[in-house]
Amino acid sequence: EVDARFWQAVEREDLESLAKELDFDDEASLRAVLPALSAYHRSSRDRSTIDGWRYRVSWKPVPDVVEGSLSGSWLVVVPASRVEDELVVGVAAGLERHGAGVVSLVVGERDLDVKVLAGRLREVVADLPELGGVLSLVALEEEPCPGYPALSGGSALSLTLARAVVEAEVPARLWCGTRGAVSVGRWDALAGAVQSQVWGLGRVVGLEHSAVWGGLVDLPGVLDERGVARLAGVLAGGDGEDQVAVRGSGVFARRVVRADSGEGAERPWRARGTVLVTGGTGALGGRVARWVVRGGAEHVVLTSRRGAGAPGAAELREELEALGARVTVAACDVADRAQVAAVLDAVPEEFPLRAVFHAAGVEQAAELRGMSLADAAAVVSGKAAGAVCLDELLGDRELDAFVVFSSIAGVWGSGGQAAYGAANAHLDALVEDRRARGLAGTAVAWGPWA
């Protein structure tokens, strides 16, 4: 209460009250320190406000439902390249031991046509007297999709399958399985960052088509009998969770929780050397560029598809140069590895690359029913594929900061933004993987209010 009254007196510039609190006899001296007190108070208040914006994803252990048994026939959808995968074989056999009649549907490149896959689903379902559910394991295919290299084969098949399940009016819920797409703690390695796209996609499917949505389940690298029992319990719906990870130590459910004010706090960061800003000629990229130059960056590299020809690029360059920085504006598609490599190679030795801010990306709203693979690839390309290019080309280079601007759409989903959610979920996973490798990495998932 004393602190509150004190800071209220600072805001009112109430010298009499402040003199009593601070035991000041000299009003002139008190008036001299008042600006510093006011500035500190504003800074503290701003920090408190910003802390209130901060949330994080957490994984909460939930009781095992190992007694859960499955009924009816379960359709397990498997990518053609993973038919003999030990995990795939183990899942199918395990579900049968827990009461399910398992029917496998092997899908490949020809099934990337929604109508083709919907037709196959209708044929299979028509021959099953009682369909208990659909479990997709297509996310395990991590190789690039033919024709759409920004998407993994698993992401493309998952999108097509979700659309086909809706079109075919399959009378059962769809579960999407991944392996190592999430990390439930520091001890748990994130081994399949690209599969996280399916998590971003799935959360939006759940919003747009809740009647056919079962959930997301991440599987461990080795699925033993206890793990199979836990998987069966999750699919049986015994605990009502729809975003879970099965691990050797138990079942974990995903939560979004408020971050503590001091959580994740690290040493103060100061811009120096060269700072690369992708999407640097856009509104957000421009704000970042101004901020890092004012913070000490001697050289900034701003990339965008149009480079110096982008609207406002010339004015931004002049503004940054007036602040004392050297400025390079480059036309670069960040999803093109060769173009990104050329930009990195051109960084001058006198100002080595010290930080990367990845603000490039395309936001495209489209409901699942009308989303094509080309639409999805266009969204994922700049956001996720661009970040992957940067991560791979920089290798283990020591940086002060590697910051990606993702979105709340990748954290809890957003209707009409399945591809955008997938791209941003991949960004978040990539940063988590970088940090696990001991590299700089920060993902800022902006919300609609930011």
Side-chain angles (χ1 to χ4, degrees):
E1 291 181 2
V2 173
D3 285 345
R5 290 198 303 270
F6 175 77
W7 292 118
Q8 288 168 5
V10 170
E11 287 189 324
R12 295 194 307 269
E13 296 189 12
D14 182 350
L15 297 179
E16 183 178 349
S17 297
L18 290 172
K20 291 179 180 179
E21 291 285 350
L22 297 174
D23 196 23
F24 260 59
D25 296 326
D26 183 355
E27 183 176 310
S29 298
L30 181 56
R31 189 178 296 279
V33 301
L34 187 59
L37 288 172
S38 298
Y40 176 79
H41 179 47
R42 286 194 301 272
S43 176
S44 298
R45 186 175 54 198
D46 290 347
R47 283 197 301 271
S48 178
T49 299
I50 292 171
D51 284 341
W53 297 348
R54 296 174 61 241
Y55 291 79
R56 65 178 178 84
V57 172
S58 177
W59 291 87
K60 176 186 175 183
V62 294
D64 289 358
V65 191
V66 293
E67 296 82 10
S69 60
L70 300 170
S71 61
S73 298
W74 274 75
L75 182 63
V76 179
V77 187
V78 181
S81 61
R82 296 289 185 270
V83 172
E84 302 298 328
D85 190 286
E86 184 178 353
L87 180 65
V88 171
V89 174
V91 166
L95 296 188
E96 287 186 331
R97 291 196 299 273
H98 286 269
V102 175
V103 176
S104 294
L105 177 65
V106 180
V107 296
E109 187 175 343
R110 70 187 181 96
D111 297 296
L112 291 172
D113 183 307
V114 175
K115 293 191 178 300
V116 170
L117 186 52
R120 294 190 66 196
L121 287 173
R122 290 190 188 97
E123 291 177 4
V124 173
V125 170
D127 293 334
L128 299 176
E130 181 186 356
L131 185 61
V134 180
L135 174 60
S136 168
L137 297 178
V138 299
L140 300 178
E141 176 51 81
E142 295 188 348
E143 293 300 313
C145 175
Y148 305 100
L151 298 173
S152 69
S155 296
L157 283 169
S158 294
L159 172 60
T160 307
L161 176 62
R163 291 185 59 198
V165 166
V166 173
E167 182 168 320
E169 298 182 341
V170 174
R173 294 186 179 273
L174 170 65
W175 284 83
C176 289
T178 56
R179 174 170 53 187
V182 301
S183 169
V184 301
R186 293 185 178 181
W187 50 269
D188 184 40
L190 195 156
V194 69
Q195 293 182 45
S196 64
Q197 289 185 15
V198 175
W199 279 69
L201 166 68
R203 285 188 278 268
V204 178
V205 176
L207 290 173
E208 293 186 17
H209 300 283
S210 58
V212 301
W213 182 243
L216 296 151
V217 55
D218 192 67
L219 302 172
V222 178
L223 189 68
D224 57 16
E225 186 53 41
R226 184 76 173 179
V228 169
R230 288 170 175 148
L231 172 60
V234 168
L235 297 179
D239 56 9
E241 299 287 351
D242 71 342
Q243 295 183 51
V244 299
V246 174
R247 295 293 184 265
S249 55
V251 177
F252 296 81
R254 188 174 181 271
R255 298 286 187 267
V256 177
V257 300
R258 189 179 292 276
D260 296 335
S261 59
E263 191 172 345
E266 299 178 354
R267 60 180 175 81
W269 177 75
R270 179 183 178 278
R272 58 176 178 150
T274 292
V275 176
L276 168 64
V277 184
T278 69
T281 60
L284 184 56
R287 291 180 69 91
V288 172
R290 295 181 184 95
W291 176 63
V292 298
V293 167
R294 292 190 180 104
E298 292 97 345
H299 177 219
V300 288
V301 178
L302 312 179
T303 70
S304 63
R305 289 181 181 271
R306 296 177 61 181
E315 293 81 1
L316 179 60
R317 175 199 286 273
E318 291 177 3
E319 181 182 348
L320 298 175
E321 289 177 340
L323 292 172
R326 181 189 296 186
V327 181
T328 299
V329 181
C332 175
D333 178 356
V334 290
D336 187 311
R337 188 183 180 92
Q339 291 185 33
V340 176
V343 168
L344 295 177
D345 289 343
V347 172
E349 293 184 4
E350 60 194 294
F351 300 127
L353 183 67
R354 300 306 312 166
V356 172
F357 286 81
H358 181 50
V362 176
E363 184 174 0
Q364 185 181 80
E367 291 189 357
L368 185 73
R369 283 181 180 273
M371 180 176 293
S372 68
L373 291 180
D375 293 333
V379 175
V380 172
S381 180
K383 273 276 186 181
V388 170
C389 274
L390 287 165
D391 175 62
E392 292 178 350
L393 288 169
L394 291 169
D396 58 358
R397 185 184 305 190
E398 184 178 346
L399 297 173
D400 296 334
F402 184 98
V403 182
V404 300
F405 288 166
S406 66
S407 166
I408 200 68
V411 176
W412 61 39
S414 182
Q417 292 190 320
Y420 194 63
N424 285 291
H426 191 178
L427 281 186
D428 295 340
L430 175 66
V431 164
E432 193 168 359
D433 180 51
R434 281 184 61 88
R435 295 179 73 91
R437 287 182 272 145
L439 302 173
T442 302
V444 182
W446 295 101
W449 56 85

